[in-house]
Amino acid sequence: MTTSDRYLAFANSAVGSRLANALGLPRPVPLERMPCVDNTDAMADARAMPVSLAVVGGAGDAPLLPDLARELHRLGMPSLAHAERLDWISLANQAGTMSGRFNPSEGVRPKALLFDASAIASTDDLSTLYTFFHDTLACLDRCARVLVLGVPPTLASTPQASVAQRALEGFVRSLAKELKRGATAQLLYVSPQARASLHSTLRFFLSPRAAYVSGQAITLQAPVFEPPPIQDRRPLAGQVAVVTGAARGIGEAIATVLAHDGAHVVCVDIAAAQGPLDAVASRLEGSALTCDIAAPEAGAALLAHLAKQAPHGLDILVHNAGITRDKTLVRMSEAQWQSVLDINVGAPQRLNQALLDAGVLRANSRIVGVASISGIAGNRGQTNYAASKAAVIGMVEAWSPVLAERQISINAVAPGFIETQMTAAVPFAIREAGRRMNSLGQGGQPVDVAQAIAWLAHPASGALTGQVVRVCGQSLLGA
Ligand code: NAI
């Protein structure tokens, strides 16, 4: 729970909850999250494992069931079959996961609902969604996860199937808005070549790592690199990551989570942040590079640092550094316009080019940009910032096919309202609106953005490229 979100704390106190109920005020629940720890805390990892129950259903011959059963088994998540899919029990039992039939009247509280919608071939078949969720939703545990799996509409076998698969998006986004008590819902479009690449995505979404992500449609496509053997404890061991803007806020959390996952993190920030930057790098046993990413010599400085710290090449590059210089366009100076565009999107493009030209990005490496929901929805007083963040999304879209040929993925996260020094400076009324105007009724934490980036950076996440994942609690902005 955030210390600065006093209403969240109050609404969950004994007196506050009674008052909130009596007055009909919203009661956001404290979300279950992974703590942001830098050492390998076995307890923290254990808490993050999705050990409680999943209920699994599906339409038609549910072709993804064997893949789901295998991954639930790997994740140690027991499951029950929805009554309509009793035929699944024997199949899934072979993977040692499914132990019986789900009966809503038995008082069991599932932590996850998974529905394989990939065989839905017409809008008539969509009624299978209705039946499954109508029976199960009311039983959900707090902070539960709903996952619907489909096929990308462009890859569906007939126009009718494509139409029905497209319908899943509206269904899941609406369901996410109806969920209560910190639960979230996502749609995973799984291309046929990505069926062996579900692991890292299920590991993320079926755990507290994905606390503040909801209402997203994610596509898994042919992986840029065949998934390596699964290694969930310290999955980034032996890897090198660069995080820009790592001295504080979201960047510090990203560096912390990547280091926790085993990476050597090169922490980059400006000279004015030298003190906190050194402290972060030394706490994480990484290295610090003071560098203004917008300076003409930034690429050369980073390459020189990597030549010493990462002679075998770079695995993860996170473009987190960013600034705001908010003013309505008429009042905005040219310098305010220019600096935001240059730091937020000019510099990341130049750094990418420098690293690509030098050939230091290894096979199966990752580039992750940090966009913003401002770049999707637009925001008054942020023409410069929103343009730069929309351009980060454009960078991901334009470069993903080019980089896939070099076995590199590129994705972005688009945070909503995250509790940092940047948002603490926002005037109270706007801050309060930003916090509450989402399906979870609260702001996110830096660790929420960091965990989403760690998922995209996972060595088994090569089926994710060209994606923009909002970490915004399903904010109403740009929805
Ligand atoms: P912050 O202002 O707390 O931290 C940004 C860091 O980047 C600072 O340490 C700063 O010194 C560094 N930095 C700035 N310019 C730099 C440069 N030229 N070279 C190297 N380092 C530089 O910001 P916060 O909140 O942690 O945001 C991180 C990223 O997340 C930014 O890209 C921001 O636009 C994005 N974001 C933040 C949201 C929020 O609610 N806090 C929402 C949406 C996006």
Side-chain angles (χ1 to χ4, degrees):
M1 186 187 302
T2 76
T3 45
S4 50
D5 188 350
R6 296 210 177 98
Y7 178 74
L8 178 66
F10 173 72
N12 285 285
S13 67
V15 178
S17 62
R18 278 203 299 277
L19 199 62
N21 279 343
L23 298 175
L25 296 172
R27 271 193 63 199
V29 303
L31 301 180
E32 290 172 5
R33 332 186 125 81
M34 288 277 288
C36 198
V37 286
D38 46 1
N39 59 347
T40 308
D41 174 355
M43 286 308 292
D45 281 344
R47 279 194 298 278
M49 290 320 289
V51 284
S52 28
L53 194 70
V55 173
V56 187
D61 59 356
L64 295 174
L65 172 67
D67 307 289
L68 279 178
R70 183 189 64 238
E71 294 309 335
L72 289 173
H73 180 58
R74 275 193 187 146
L75 291 167
M77 191 169 200
S79 55
L80 295 175
H82 182 241
E84 299 253 311
R85 302 313 315 233
L86 292 180
D87 53 318
W88 281 13
I89 294 180
S90 59
L91 175 55
N93 259 342
Q94 290 161 20
T97 47
M98 209 168 278
S99 52
R101 181 173 77 92
F102 175 65
N103 183 345
S105 63
E106 283 170 2
V108 176
R109 295 224 159 264
K111 197 73 172 177
L113 300 176
L114 294 106
F115 188 86
D116 177 3
S118 62
I120 287 183
S122 73
T123 42
D124 285 345
D125 295 348
L126 291 168
S127 61
T128 53
L129 287 168
Y130 169 84
T131 308
F132 177 76
F133 287 106
H134 187 259
D135 286 358
T136 52
L137 271 185
C139 306
L140 270 187
D141 197 1
R142 68 189 295 280
C143 297
R145 303 280 183 260
V146 171
L147 293 182
V148 175
L149 291 88
V151 280
T154 49
L155 300 182
S157 50
T158 64
Q160 288 78 3
S162 175
V163 169
Q165 290 294 321
R166 184 64 182 77
L168 299 177
E169 213 175 302
F171 174 80
V172 171
R173 289 192 204 279
S174 300
L175 197 66
K177 293 187 177 183
E178 292 182 13
L179 292 174
K180 299 194 174 100
R181 304 200 310 144
T184 61
Q186 337 286 339
L187 170 61
L188 305 180
Y189 280 130
V190 183
S191 313
Q193 300 116 305
R195 284 177 54 171
S197 300
L198 280 170
H199 178 78
S200 60
T201 298
L202 293 181
R203 174 181 179 264
F204 175 65
F205 281 118
L206 294 177
S207 79
R209 295 180 180 89
Y212 200 60
V213 181
S214 195
Q216 297 303 289
I218 314 274
T219 302
L220 287 94
Q221 52 201 43
V224 296
F225 195 84
E226 279 312 307
I230 303 298
Q231 153 69 19
D232 274 341
R233 242 180 92 69
R234 294 173 72 77
L236 305 180
Q239 297 207 350
V240 178
V242 167
V243 180
T244 66
R248 68 177 202 189
I250 295 172
E252 180 181 0
I254 298 166
T256 304
V257 170
L258 297 183
H260 172 82
D261 281 356
H264 171 98
V265 183
V266 177
C267 303
V268 180
D269 215 300
I270 50 176
Q274 174 98 56
L277 179 70
D278 286 343
V280 172
S282 105
R283 176 169 63 77
L284 303 180
E285 296 176 5
S287 56
L289 172 65
T290 42
C291 165
D292 176 347
I293 56 162
E297 64 280 6
L302 181 57
L303 284 170
H305 186 88
L306 289 175
K308 281 192 232 131
Q309 297 292 337
H312 303 299
L314 181 64
D315 302 283
I316 300 162
L317 171 59
V318 184
H319 295 297
N320 162 77
I323 60 166
T324 50
R325 296 288 182 269
D326 296 356
K327 283 270 186 273
T328 53
L329 190 69
V330 173
R331 293 168 182 271
M332 189 182 293
S333 69
E334 198 177 339
Q336 286 169 327
W337 171 270
Q338 197 56 40
S339 59
V340 168
L341 266 296
D342 199 38
I343 291 171
N344 293 3
V345 70
Q349 291 181 92
R350 292 194 295 273
L351 285 183
N352 287 350
Q353 199 61 61
L355 294 175
L356 287 169
D357 290 348
V360 295
L361 283 162
R362 302 210 299 184
N364 203 26
S365 61
R366 311 268 179 260
I367 298 176
V368 187
V370 178
S372 162
I373 56 168
S374 282
I376 296 169
N379 206 8
R380 188 173 187 279
Q382 290 198 319
T383 48
N384 51 357
Y385 183 75
S388 74
K389 294 300 188 180
V392 169
I393 295 171
M395 179 173 88
V396 163
E397 290 169 351
W399 278 92
S400 57
V402 180
L403 292 176
E405 286 172 17
R406 298 173 73 156
Q407 300 181 308
I408 299 168
S409 78
I410 180 167
N411 296 287
V413 293
F417 184 97
I418 307 295
E419 306 277 359
T420 64
Q421 289 182 30
M422 192 166 153
T423 46
V426 173
F428 174 77
I430 301 174
R431 188 165 75 232
E432 204 43 27
R435 266 192 191 130
R436 306 289 163 224
M437 280 170 53
N438 60 70
S439 298
L440 297 169
Q442 58 195 287
Q445 293 288 323
V447 69
D448 300 329
V449 181
Q451 290 290 357
I453 289 175
W455 155 55
L456 295 168
H458 193 289
S461 291
L464 297 156
T465 194
Q467 305 288 299
V468 178
V469 182
R470 295 170 53 144
V471 185
C472 64
Q474 201 181 23
S475 169
L476 297 180
L477 291 181

